[in-house]
Amino acid sequence: MECLLPVGIKVCVAILLLVYTWRVLNWAWFRPKKLEKYLRLSGLKGNPYKLLYGDLKELSNKLKEAKSKPINFSDDTAQRLIPFFCDTINKNGKNSFAWLGPNPIVVITEPALIKEIFAKNYMYQKYKNSNPFTKLLVQGLVSLEEHKWAKHRKIINPAFHFEKLKHMMPALYQSCNEMLSKWEDIVPKETSVELDVWPHFQLMTGEVISRTAFGSSYEEGKIVFELQKEQAEHVMEVAFSLYIPGSRFLPSKRNKRMLEIKKEIQTTIRRIIDKRLKAMKAGETSNNEDLLGILLESNLKEIEQHGSKDFGMTTLEVIEECKLFYFAGQETTSVLLVWTMILLCLHWEWQVRAREEVLQVFGNKKPDFEGLSRLKVVTMILYETLRLFPPLPTLGRRTKEEVKLGELNLAAGVLLVIPTVLVHCDKEIWGEDVKEFKPERFSEGVSKVTNGQVSFIPFGWGPRICIGQNFAMLEAKMAIAMILQKFSFELSPSYTHAPFQVVTIRPQYGAPLLMHKL
């Protein structure tokens, strides 16, 4: 028995090594090659698979090259934001494939196929990067699937109801007013002053989320905002690099910092939640009009209604939803505002028209909810900005199982990339003037200009459309209206046009404008 034991252990080790080796080879070579053959049989064209990296090196190099050179306003924005995908489509056609490491990506641009993908969210699920560090930025509703997604969506929905948004108007106004007060201190009456509005919008939208999400705990909420900003930059660095399984356990400087940020955010939000739950148990209702209060109240109702905690969210899940409030709410609105301002500088006639509308509706008075809903010109401008500069340049999905999408046969686990910036600038959908800033194209609404096609998707579409889109639009209208009441603005000669992606589409060198006090 003593002689047999070592032999038995050796056999077990040998079997385990063989199993592990097969799994690695299957992941790195056999499965990708099998999927490549499958995709080509479906009529798709793409680059041959390269071991481990696929097209990652080319994708990364093209991004670095594009980021190193500013562009003119007449240049193709998509070519700077997603150069690899643009080149792939030019080379292999609108529906083509590429490789994100050993995972195939199919590029989808046809509105009918986009509609099917977004409508059948149980078959085409959210793409999750294989690098576990990307999960440190946001989880929550945006990354959940099936029954868990449905549960969270149901609990969160009340927080974004129109009636609840009305109660958040004072927080929106206060944050915008504080930003404009700073501008008034900087800009003298007689002359114009150069002001980089980009960091001001980032700060203001962070303040809005801090106030609307955490109410009286707003100062603590600001800490979360700063930490989330830093985490986003780290996540973008790891998202487009090859992840080696197990490398997250290495004690690198970045790895340690990302984990520190995660812990600090969780501790801060947990402290706010505990304080709020304690107040709710004591019968205090003064804080129940902010996002966190509404969310906690809705969660408790769901648990009480079904008599089980299984029907509600855990504290950790509530923390993830709060992180999502921050990231999605702050990022989306800040980039929408900065690109709107830049476009209004380039198209002075629309700045004049928007100001005339704002003054006609509000004069110099404080904007209210009903008045903001009547701003037709401002809404058209915001929609056209979202068309030219959607918050996310691409949207991703993954096939849950083998499916037939239009004429395409797709295996389970294939990544689908919908390049929003290309769909929004497709001449076949939008016409020959697609590159021009023409807000009047939205004068009769979105469905009219798109002919009912799913081709305007700044907030996604279908069951998983962004839950906070009305919040973002309301905040953007409030900010633009208040700015137009007090300032006119034009591009500074120092402005450099360089849209680039840090999750959302940002101005790489800021947005220096010449501000004139009215």
Side-chain angles (χ1 to χ4, degrees), residues 63-64 254 267 307 346:
L63 272 175
K64 282 179 187 173
R254 185 173 65 194
T267 302
L346 290 168

Side-chain angles (χ1 to χ4, degrees), residues 57-69 79-84 236 240 501:
K57 287 181 180 177
E58 191 181 350
L59 187 152
S60 181
N61 289 338
K62 283 184 180 292
L63 272 175
K64 282 179 187 173
E65 185 186 352
K67 192 179 171 184
S68 68
K69 302 170 189 171
Q79 191 65 49
R80 193 174 200 272
L81 292 166
I82 51 169
F84 176 78
M236 279 305 294
F240 291 108
Q501 184 186 6

Side-chain angles (χ1 to χ4, degrees), residues 106-173:
V106 177
V107 183
I108 303 292
T109 58
E110 292 177 23
L113 302 186
I114 293 169
K115 181 178 181 179
E116 187 173 345
I117 290 166
F118 284 146
K120 296 178 180 178
N121 61 304
Y122 51 92
M123 289 171 63
Y124 303 96
Q125 301 189 338
K126 280 293 188 86
Y127 163 61
K128 299 174 184 69
N129 194 293
S130 59
N131 190 322
F133 271 115
T134 59
K135 297 176 183 177
L136 296 181
L137 184 59
V138 283
Q139 287 289 287
L141 191 66
V142 74
S143 63
L144 299 175
E145 298 294 348
E146 299 173 1
H147 72 279
K148 201 157 191 179
W149 168 80
K151 178 177 81 171
H152 281 232
R153 182 94 182 193
K154 182 184 178 185
I155 293 169
I156 295 166
N157 257 332
F160 292 95
H161 191 275
F162 262 118
E163 288 304 312
K164 296 294 184 183
L165 292 182
K166 282 184 184 180
H167 293 295
M168 295 175 193
M169 287 288 289
L172 298 182
Y173 177 80

Side-chain angles (χ1 to χ4, degrees), residues 326-360:
Y326 258 99
F327 176 73
Q330 188 272 334
E331 279 283 322
T332 303
T333 315
S334 60
V335 294
L336 172 55
L337 287 171
V338 77
W339 293 118
T340 300
M341 291 282 280
I342 290 167
L343 288 168
L344 288 180
C345 288
L346 290 168
H347 303 276
W348 183 258
E349 71 281 9
W350 282 100
Q351 186 182 146
V352 171
R353 283 184 63 178
R355 184 174 293 105
E356 285 173 352
E357 180 183 60
V358 167
L359 293 176
Q360 185 182 351

Side-chain angles (χ1 to χ4, degrees), residues 41 70 81 90 122 152 287 340 410 491:
L41 286 171
L81 292 166
N90 290 335
Y122 51 92
H152 281 232
N287 282 323
T340 300
L410 301 172
L491 274 186

